[in-house]
Amino acid sequence: MKSPTFVSDALDYVRSLEGAQAFDIDEHTDLIEIGLVNSFAIVDLILFIEEQLDIQIDMEDPLLDSVRTVQAMHEAFNACS
């Protein structure tokens, strides 16, 4: 289900992650490059997206580019849900 507030909700979530305060995070910040999203955090991030959009994400699909930025998450999961 599409969420009109997904980008702002996702930004709030990402900004609440441990270590996020050290960065000026916007929807285009590469979360993997800055080290905020790693192999452990990606699972929680996917669960957040699934809960927010009431969708199921196939963990077998390539995910890194889809969660690299909040904008990428929006385009991959919210814009077409």
Side-chain angles (χ1 to χ4, degrees):
M1 165 182 3
K2 285 187 180 185
S3 170
T5 62
F6 178 79
V7 171
S8 63
D9 293 342
L11 281 171
D12 288 344
Y13 174 80
V14 168
R15 288 173 179 153
S16 75
L17 295 174
E18 185 176 335
Q21 298 75 23
F23 303 98
D24 184 23
I25 297 172
D26 65 20
E27 64 270 19
H28 302 289
T29 302
D30 190 322
L31 304 173
I32 295 170
E33 185 176 294
I34 65 172
L36 199 58
V37 173
N38 56 33
S39 58
F40 298 109
I42 198 168
V43 174
D44 290 334
L45 184 56
I46 295 300
L47 291 172
F48 166 80
I49 295 167
E50 288 180 333
E51 184 177 295
Q52 287 295 304
L53 300 177
D54 193 26
I55 62 172
Q56 198 68 23
I57 297 173
D58 184 357
M59 296 298 278
E60 293 183 17
D61 289 340
L63 290 174
L64 284 183
D65 286 338
S66 300
V67 296
R68 189 168 290 281
T69 68
V70 169
Q71 184 63 35
M73 292 176 221
H74 168 69
E75 292 171 4
F77 305 113
N78 190 44
C80 60
S81 64

